[in-house]
Amino acid sequence: GLIALTLEDSARSEIVPRVIEDQAHYALVAGAPHREIVEAPGSRHADDPVRGAQLAHARLCRIIRNAEAAGVDRRPSARLAELTHVGERHLLVALADLPQRLERHVGDEAQQRRAVTDLAALADAWDHPVRPLAAGVHPAPIHGARLLLADAVRIVLRNGLTRLGAAAPERM
């Protein structure tokens, strides 16, 4: 039979600082640092699943820029254990699982592509605010935690796209 394990939210959220600290290598081929890849705008067809991952990356970059402009802080002491919404939990598990999925399918480009696009789909479905929705409202600690989560997902998408040989644009 199968054994079902459930992590506490605080344990699950420990992946965020690990990703941020090791952003130059997390989810990349062992020993290979992150490298910038440049693609001509519009070089991928609209039905290419990698384009969806690129759009998700660009969206996360926009969310991060807007949150920082609204005064949300990136504090390592952010209350990451408060990332308890189902969508946030799914993202945290996917962040932790992606490197193993990619390693398990080395040489299988379709499965590698699927692993990255699955994470992008989760990121696109995540709709919790990273900044206050009303102007003049001071950001709450959960906004800082969500900003760190968004940054960790952005890093992993960037590295996953790099692994696929695709650009990770900040704007599209």
Side-chain angles (χ1 to χ4, degrees), residues 91 94-95 98 114-124 153 156-157:
L91 279 171
L95 287 177
L98 188 70
R114 182 173 180 194
V116 173
T117 57
D118 285 352
L119 176 61
L122 286 173
D124 276 342
V153 174
V156 174
L157 275 178

Side-chain angles (χ1 to χ4, degrees), residues 97-108 111-112 115 163:
D97 187 47
L98 188 70
Q100 291 87 354
R101 280 184 73 183
L102 293 171
E103 287 304 315
R104 187 171 44 245
H105 298 294
V106 169
D108 185 345
Q111 286 299 322
Q112 297 243 331
R163 195 166 171 152

Side-chain angles (χ1 to χ4, degrees), residues 84-155:
T84 59
H85 185 270
V86 172
E88 293 162 348
R89 288 176 174 170
H90 286 236
L91 279 171
L92 291 167
V93 169
L95 287 177
D97 187 47
L98 188 70
Q100 291 87 354
R101 280 184 73 183
L102 293 171
E103 287 304 315
R104 187 171 44 245
H105 298 294
V106 169
D108 185 345
E109 186 177 335
Q111 286 299 322
Q112 297 243 331
R113 182 181 301 245
R114 182 173 180 194
V116 173
T117 57
D118 285 352
L119 176 61
L122 286 173
D124 276 342
W126 182 49
D127 61 356
H128 276 67
V130 175
R131 60 181 174 81
L133 297 179
V137 175
H138 187 68
I142 190 64
H143 294 117
R146 288 179 179 150
L147 176 57
L148 289 172
L149 175 59
D151 196 29
V153 174
R154 178 198 60 80
I155 290 164

Side-chain angles (χ1 to χ4, degrees), residues 65-84:
R65 283 191 306 272
N66 289 345
E68 289 173 340
V72 178
D73 290 328
R74 287 184 202 232
R75 291 188 197 146
S77 63
R79 299 180 186 167
L80 294 172
E82 291 182 17
L83 297 171
T84 59

Side-chain angles (χ1 to χ4, degrees), residues 1 3 14-15 29 33 35 39 46 50 69 79 86 93 109 125 138 141 144 153 157-158 164:
I3 298 174
E14 289 176 10
I15 192 64
V29 175
R35 59 182 166 66
E39 289 181 3
V50 171
R79 299 180 186 167
V86 172
V93 169
E109 186 177 335
H138 187 68
V153 174
L157 275 178
R158 178 198 70 191
L164 295 175

